[in-house]
Every structure is written in C-alpha cells, then in structure tokens.
C-alpha cells in the first residue's frame, strides 16, 4: 500500500462560532450557562427536595411540562457547546486555550450535573401513570419518565449526589482527561526507510495495515515500548477511575458494575448472556480464520502485528476522493435520503480525516447541532479506511433521523447507537464485493473479518479484562505488570490458538479510551451487540427491501423511546433467543468459509497472488 499524498480534510466548526477565541464564542458560552442557572432556579421554584411528593395536582403537571421543555432547550445548547470545545481539544490536545475552555466548561456545568440526580429523584417520586393520562408532553417522553423512575431507586441522598458531582471534576473526569491528553501527545521513535522518525501514536498504529511485515513488526515493537514508557500515569488513571466507579456503584445499590451497564444500555442479563454465549460458540470459527491467515505468512499462529496485515493482490489503494464518491453512490442504493446526507457531510466539511500529532487516535461521530454531526477519523487509503468512514457516517445518519425528536427523546444507549453504523458499513461491504474481482474479494472479505474479529473476539477479551479489573480493584490498586497480565490472560482465553501467545498486546488496556470513564463502564460489549443487531437487520432488509425501508428510519428515530428488546420485536427479532445471535454469527461463518476457500493452497498470498 502506498502512503496517501492527497490533502485530507479537517472539519469545519465555524458554523457554530468563528473561533474559540472569538467574541461570539465568549457570548455563546455565557448565554448557555445563564440558561443553566435559570433552569436550576426554576427547578428550585417548582419542586422541593425535602418534601414528600404531593398528590398529582394541576400545578405538578404544569411543572413537569415546563421542566421537560426547559431541560430540552438547555441540553441542546450544552451538547452543541460541548461538541464545539471538544472538537478543538480532540484534534489538537496542545491547544492550551481550548483546554482551558474545556476545564471552564466542566466547572460551569457542575450545577447541571448536580441538578440531574435531583430531577431524576423528583420525577421518580411522581405517579407516572397518572401523569401520562393528564399530559401529552409527558406521553411524548414516557420512556424517559419510566427510566427515571428506575434510576431514582439507585440514587444516593441529595447531599451525597451533589458531593459526588463536585468531586468528579478532580477525580474520574481528571483521570479521563489525563489519559486522553497524554496518549494523544505520545511521539513514538521508529526506524523507517533507514532513518529514525518521531511519529504520533495514531500513525504508528496505522502501520499495522502496512504491506511490509517487517514494518508492521517494528511498529508493534515501537508501540509497545512507547506504552511501557507511559504506562505508570495511565495505570494511575485506570485505577482511579475504576476505584471511583466501585465506590459510587456500591453507594447507589448496584450489586455489580455490570448491572448498571446493562441498565444503561437498555437490555437485560438474559440478552447479554445469550449474546456472549453465542460469541463463545463462534470462537473456534474465528480461530479457523486466524490460523488460515497465519498460514499465508508461513506460520502456524498469527502474530499480533499481522492481525491487520493486508492480504491478496486486491488490496487496492483507496484515495480519499475515491472513498467519498463510492460511499455516496452506494448509500444511494438504499435511499436518496441516505445518499444526500453523506454528500452533505463531505461537501460541508463534517469530517476531520487527517492523522496528526496532538489528535486523538481512532474514529468517532459526535452530535453538533440540529441534524448535524462531526466525524473524526484517522484515514488510511485502504478499504478499512472506507469502511470506517461509512461506519461513522451511519452514526451521522442516525442523528439525522432523530432530528425531529427532542434531546430527551433522542437519548440513545450505546447498544442501539451502533445500529445505523453497522448497517451502513454492511451496505459498503456488499457493494465492494459485488464489484470486486476474485483477488479483490479476498482483501474485502479479509477486512470484514478483521473488523468482526475485533468486535467479537477482542471485545470479549476487553469485557473479561474489565470485569476482572473491577473485582480486583475492590481490594487495592493494580500495578502495570498486573494490568498487563490481566489483559494477556483475557487475550489468551479468547484468541486461543489463533494467535501466538508470545506476540500478544499486554498494553491494550492503555490503548482503549473506552475504559476511562466512571459513568460508562463496560463500554465494550455494546459494539458486539451493534454488529450482530446490525447484521440481523441487514439480513431482513435483503429479504424484503421495500417493506424494510418503510420502518427503518422510524426505528432509528425511536431508539430513545423504548428498550432494545421492544424495538427489535418490530422486525420479528427476539433478543433473548440464542437463535437470533447464531443467525448473525452465521453471516460471519460464511465469510470465514469463503476466505478459507479463496486462500487454500496458497492461492492468495500476502501482498499478491501466488
């Protein structure tokens, strides 16, 4: 694969404010927090923390309606301001002004953070059934109200919740910020083309896709050395975050951190258990794929640095312009609405695609305002880069589909947030395969299997690691070596004989930013859910395209209005049945079978045909 020479775009945030140092930003910042302060005063006027709930009066109904309206207004303003500031920090963590504004934002948002549990407790104390009978506004927000009822059962006292919110800024939030800033600024020394260069970690990790195995090996070794050098403060961050989460979970009467994660993701343990059991059943198939890929390198087991190695002569370059044209065209095969959204995102500079120092690694999509999103990527000119863009544009389409919902109605759990992204990614996969030569087919299927392996096998390893970390952290902090060993144990358990046990990645706990949040533990399994749910939906689309299209956008629009099982039932899916999960894994198994068929007897070797 050649290195991309075309200029890659940076996103445009100026549609909100001209700059983070502009008078317009300063005025908008102050106006947003004036609205926050007004909301807190209004809540104090309309409710009482220390009085038992009164019978549902007309005044209480009006208070609920007024507060729902004002919360929606304030949350929308806060989301836009937060995204604008983080849009600067995430693309340049060395921007001291943006970092200062982020810190100020967090401090000024503290009254809203302290208000949330009070509002939840108050709503949870009301007779919701009676409220729904008397208020159309309440009926429009029924799921939020019932969710608040359950959440209220897991709150500490108002004083404790207020203190926890204040301490979070110098506790979990500070640890999370340390991880993001530190890891985005790591420069890794690596020898390339006969000279030693200092590259951002994101660029070094992108070398995992390089055609040259020696380059991949040196990048892997350089990456591990860099993580080792930075491991001590990162381990302190992880210990601090999981320690705080353990204390708060116990105080809020969550028996297990996983119980909270399941509740936040709007599923239940039987659904999670059915999915994880199906994943365990599929591990032998993933190992078949990994061993087959290893054989193409002349080894029995795959090295970690070969996980993302390109296979076959069909591993064509995908310049960014080609990727954008392909995505827009193929999204159009589903609907004009999806095509137009993608074209708008590219045209109006919603995407920051250029890898560079100070920019966070990976990819994400964030809400900006109205029906607009912004997408961060670290684009590589490969099919993987195209697939990632399609995935993140799926998130943007999901936001677009919810544009007619209020912020409270659009609150979507991570499990369902992956629905549109996996669906859009699959549209691109199917189209790429349809237009592929046999040699190109190998590369495309292999990329899909890479992603599936990460989403199922690697995410299960991360799930096991985090589960065991939470348990161990109840007793004491863990050292860097202990964290490494926990991660290696989880990788050995999931990858099995598919990977060389001497060439794993002990610092994956430092790599993945998803571990570094007090409020969103177990941020890993929702991705597996999203993959399998998205594949299941796509299978139903292929069975009856026109019928499916009539309900798909409404499903996306409704992901904040019901739990996952209820929404899945609209398409005849029973999430508690192992049959559904097995059907989704069957899609992956067929890809594995096809990969083995195409690569048998050395018919397709790394970097070219035999």
């Amino acid at each position: 694969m050649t290195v991309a020479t075309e200029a890659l775009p940076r996103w445009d945030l100026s549609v909100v404010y001209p700059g983070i140092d502009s008078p317009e930003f300063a005025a908008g910042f102050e106006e947003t927090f004036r609205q926050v302060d007004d909301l807190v005063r209004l809540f104090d006027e309309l409710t009482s923390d220390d009085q038992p709930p009164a019978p549902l009066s007309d005044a209480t109904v009006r208070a609920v309606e007024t507060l729902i309206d004002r919360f929606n207004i304030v949350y929308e303003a806060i989301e836009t301001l937060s995204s604008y500031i983080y849009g600067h920090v995430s693309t340049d963590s060395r921007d001291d002004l943006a970092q200062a504004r982020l810190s100020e934002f967090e401090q000024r948002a503290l009254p809203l953070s302290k208000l949330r549990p009070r509002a939840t407790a108050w709503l949870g104390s009301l007779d919701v059934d009676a409220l729904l009978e008397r208020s159309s506004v309440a009926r429009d927000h029924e799921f939020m109200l019932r969710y608040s009822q359950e959440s209220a059962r897991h709150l500490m006292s108002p004083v404790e919740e207020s203190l926890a919110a204040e301490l979070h800024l110098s506790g979990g939030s500070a640890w999370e910020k340390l991880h993001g800033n530190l890891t985005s600024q790591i420069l890794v020394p690596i020898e390339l083309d006969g000279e030693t260069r200092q590259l951002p970690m994101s660029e070094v990790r992108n070398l995992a896709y390089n055609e040259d195995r020696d380059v991949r090996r040196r990048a892997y070794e350089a990456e591990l050395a860099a993580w080792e050098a930075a491991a001590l403060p990162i381990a302190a961050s992880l210990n601090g975050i999981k320690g705080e989460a353990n204390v708060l979970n116990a105080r809020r009467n969550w028996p297990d951190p996983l119980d909270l994660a399941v509740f936040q993701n709007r599923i239940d343990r039987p659904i999670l258990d059915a999915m994880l059991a199906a994943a365990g059943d599929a591990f032998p198939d993933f190992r078949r794929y990994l061993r087959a890929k290893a054989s193409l390198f002349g080894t029995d087991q795959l090295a970690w640095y070969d996980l993302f190695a390109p296979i076959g002569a069909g591993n064509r370059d995908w310049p960014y312009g080609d990727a954008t044209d392909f995505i827009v065209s193929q999204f159009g095969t589903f609907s004009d609405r999806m095509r137009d959204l993608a074209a708008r995102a590219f045209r109006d500079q919603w995407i920051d695609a250029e890898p560079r120092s100070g920019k966070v690694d990976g990819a994400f999509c964030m809400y900006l305002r109205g029906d607009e999103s912004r997408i961060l990527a670290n684009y590589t000119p490969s099919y993987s880069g195209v697939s990632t863009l399609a995935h993140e544009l799926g998130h943007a389409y999901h936001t677009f589909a919810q544009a007619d919902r209020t912020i409270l109605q659009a609150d979507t759990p991570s499990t369902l947030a992956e629905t549109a992204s996996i669906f859009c990614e699959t549209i691109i996969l199917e189209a790429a395969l349809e237009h592929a030569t046999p040699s190109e087919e190998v590369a495309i299927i292999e990329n899909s299997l890479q992603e599936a392996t990460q989403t199922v096998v690697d995410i299960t390893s991360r799930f096991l690691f985090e589960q065991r970390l939470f348990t161990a952290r109840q007793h004491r902090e863990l050292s860097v070596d202990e964290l490494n060993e926990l991660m290696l144990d989880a990788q050995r358990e999931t990858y099995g004989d598919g990977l060389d046990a001497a060439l794993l990645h002990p610092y994956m706990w430092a790599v993945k930013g998803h571990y570094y949040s007090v409020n969103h533990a177990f941020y890993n399994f929702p991705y597996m859910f999203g993959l399998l749910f998205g594949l299941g939906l796509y299978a139903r689309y292929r069975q009856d395209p026109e019928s499916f299209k009539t309900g798909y956008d409404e499903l996306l629009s409704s992901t904040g209005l019901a739990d996952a099982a209820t929404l899945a039932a609209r398409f005849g899916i029973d999430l508690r049945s192992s049959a559904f999960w097995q059907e989704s894994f069957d899609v992956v198994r067929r890809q594995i079978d096809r990969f083995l068929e195409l690569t048998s007897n050395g018919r397709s070797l790394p970097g070219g045909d035999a």
Side-chain angles (χ1 to χ4, degrees):
M1 183 191 306
T2 60
V3 176
T5 57
E6 64 180 328
L8 294 175
R10 301 187 180 192
W11 55 27
D12 176 22
L13 300 175
S14 65
V15 294
V16 182
Y17 300 112
I20 204 160
D21 57 349
S22 67
E24 292 87 346
F25 171 80
F29 190 94
E30 291 303 323
E31 171 60 20
T32 297
F33 287 109
R34 183 196 63 76
Q35 293 182 35
V36 170
D37 294 340
D38 287 348
L39 174 60
V40 174
R41 282 193 292 269
L42 179 65
F43 187 85
D44 288 339
E45 292 171 5
L46 297 179
T47 70
S48 175
D49 289 334
D50 55 6
Q51 297 292 327
L56 195 66
S57 64
D58 289 343
T60 302
V61 173
R62 287 195 300 273
V64 170
E65 293 177 338
T66 299
L67 288 169
I68 285 176
D69 179 62
R70 292 292 290 275
F71 266 104
N72 276 318
I73 292 170
V74 171
Y75 277 150
E76 185 160 0
I78 281 288
E79 287 289 327
T80 296
L81 184 61
S82 172
S83 293
Y84 180 81
I85 297 172
Y86 189 65
H88 287 80
V89 172
S90 61
T91 52
D92 183 6
S93 63
R94 295 185 177 88
D95 185 336
D96 290 340
L97 178 59
Q99 292 283 12
R101 292 293 172 263
L102 177 60
S103 178
E104 186 179 0
F105 172 90
E106 292 170 341
Q107 193 68 41
R108 295 283 296 275
L110 185 57
L112 185 60
S113 299
K114 295 164 71 173
L115 181 60
R116 287 190 186 108
R118 293 178 59 204
T120 298
W122 181 68
L123 290 172
S125 72
L126 301 178
D127 184 341
V128 172
D129 290 330
L131 179 62
L132 294 172
E133 289 181 4
R134 296 171 60 176
S135 169
S136 61
V137 174
R139 288 193 294 274
D140 288 341
H141 293 81
E142 178 179 359
F143 185 78
M144 180 274 292
L145 292 169
R146 296 201 182 280
Y147 188 82
S148 294
Q149 269 192 316
E150 181 59 32
S151 297
R153 299 188 180 99
H154 293 278
L155 288 174
M156 300 181 289
S157 70
V159 171
E160 289 173 312
E161 288 291 352
S162 177
L163 179 61
E166 289 191 50
L167 290 177
H168 181 65
L169 290 182
S170 55
S173 177
W175 287 122
E176 180 179 5
K177 190 183 298 184
L178 172 64
H179 175 269
N181 291 341
L182 177 61
T183 57
S184 67
Q185 295 183 26
I186 292 175
L187 291 176
V188 183
I190 181 172
E191 183 184 337
L192 294 174
D193 301 323
E195 64 173 320
T196 299
R197 301 167 59 187
Q198 300 277 339
L199 296 182
M201 180 64 80
S202 59
E203 289 191 35
V204 172
R205 285 180 53 77
N206 276 347
L207 291 174
Y209 299 91
N210 195 278
E211 292 177 346
D212 188 326
R213 191 168 192 242
D214 187 58
V215 169
R216 295 196 303 272
R217 177 189 58 77
R218 283 186 278 118
Y220 163 80
E221 291 171 351
E223 180 194 346
L224 292 189
W227 289 123
E228 181 179 10
L232 192 62
I234 300 176
S237 297
L238 191 58
N239 276 302
I241 285 169
K242 298 311 180 190
E244 180 178 329
N246 271 338
V247 170
L248 292 175
N249 288 336
R251 291 276 186 171
R252 290 171 176 150
N253 297 314
W254 290 106
D256 186 308
L258 186 55
D259 292 326
L260 172 59
V262 164
F263 174 70
Q264 289 175 330
N265 281 287
R266 298 175 195 169
I267 61 173
D268 53 35
R269 282 293 189 100
I271 292 174
L272 179 62
D273 291 343
M275 181 183 73
L276 291 177
D281 290 343
F283 285 169
D285 295 292
F286 283 100
R287 292 165 188 165
R288 282 196 298 131
Y289 150 67
L290 293 170
R291 289 193 300 269
K293 185 169 182 177
S295 69
L296 301 178
F297 297 99
T299 61
D300 294 329
Q301 295 175 312
L302 203 64
W304 187 277
Y305 54 79
D306 289 330
L307 272 170
F308 304 106
I311 297 293
N315 195 58
R316 55 166 283 196
D317 281 356
W318 281 88
Y320 187 79
D322 290 357
T324 62
D325 291 344
F326 187 70
I327 289 171
V328 170
S329 173
Q330 297 310 319
F331 277 15
T333 64
F334 181 79
S335 71
D336 292 346
R337 181 176 160 94
M338 185 178 286
R339 177 201 62 212
D340 293 346
L341 185 280
R344 178 184 171 196
F346 291 125
R347 181 186 66 244
D348 294 349
Q349 294 177 259
W350 288 13
I351 300 167
D352 195 297
E354 177 194 43
R356 58 188 181 273
S357 179
K359 180 180 176 181
V360 299
D361 195 9
F364 63 75
C365 178
M366 65 181 182
Y367 169 85
L368 184 65
R369 62 174 189 172
D371 62 358
E372 287 187 46
S373 300
R374 289 298 182 268
I375 292 168
L376 181 142
N378 286 276
Y379 187 75
T380 57
S382 64
Y383 177 75
S384 175
V386 181
S387 180
T388 297
L389 280 181
H391 180 102
E392 300 304 336
L393 282 164
H395 286 301
Y397 186 73
H398 195 158
T399 296
F400 178 73
Q402 291 184 308
D404 60 343
R405 302 293 188 187
T406 68
I407 289 289
L408 293 176
Q409 289 174 327
D411 183 30
T412 296
S414 297
T415 39
L416 297 173
E418 294 300 307
T419 302
S421 54
I422 295 298
F423 191 88
C424 287
E425 191 178 324
T426 308
I427 288 175
I428 295 302
L429 170 67
E430 293 292 315
L433 287 173
E434 183 179 344
H435 295 85
T437 65
S439 59
E440 290 171 340
E441 184 183 2
V442 176
I444 295 167
I445 290 178
E446 207 281 319
N447 180 81
S448 179
L449 290 175
Q450 284 180 22
E451 295 296 324
T453 302
Q454 289 297 295
T455 308
V456 177
V457 184
D458 200 71
I459 273 181
T460 303
S461 75
R462 297 183 226 165
F463 175 84
L464 293 174
F465 168 84
E466 190 165 11
Q467 196 171 37
R468 292 161 186 174
L469 172 59
F470 266 119
T471 299
R473 186 62 185 85
Q474 290 175 353
H475 306 290
R476 60 176 175 81
E477 295 180 351
L478 279 73
S479 68
V480 170
D481 287 344
E482 288 173 318
L483 292 171
N484 285 353
E485 195 54 38
L486 272 185
M487 182 56 75
L488 290 172
D489 283 344
Q491 290 172 355
R492 288 188 284 256
E493 189 172 332
T494 50
Y495 284 100
D497 63 2
L499 287 187
D500 186 337
L503 293 169
L504 299 175
H505 197 311
Y507 289 100
M508 193 54 60
W509 57 268
V511 176
K512 296 300 179 182
H514 296 154
Y515 290 127
Y516 295 82
S517 172
V518 171
N519 299 318
H520 297 284
F522 292 100
Y523 200 81
N524 36 58
F525 72 78
Y527 285 96
M528 189 194 311
F529 183 103
L531 170 68
L532 300 174
F533 187 53
L535 289 177
L537 285 176
Y538 192 83
R540 281 154 176 76
Y541 161 58
R542 294 298 297 269
Q543 291 167 6
D544 188 355
E546 294 310 312
S547 175
F548 181 90
K549 288 178 183 180
T550 61
Y552 180 66
D553 280 10
E554 177 61 24
L555 170 70
L556 297 181
S557 177
S558 302
T559 52
L561 302 180
D563 60 43
T566 300
L567 293 171
R570 294 184 183 180
F571 289 89
I573 295 171
D574 179 3
L575 296 178
R576 298 180 183 89
S577 167
S578 62
F580 167 71
W581 304 108
Q582 293 292 352
E583 287 172 6
S584 293
F585 275 118
D586 284 344
V587 175
V588 180
R589 290 185 180 97
R590 287 193 290 271
Q591 289 185 351
I592 292 172
D593 290 340
R594 179 60 175 159
F595 177 77
L596 267 64
E597 178 186 347
L598 289 167
T599 59
S600 62
N601 300 318
R603 285 173 55 193
S604 183
L605 296 175
D609 288 338

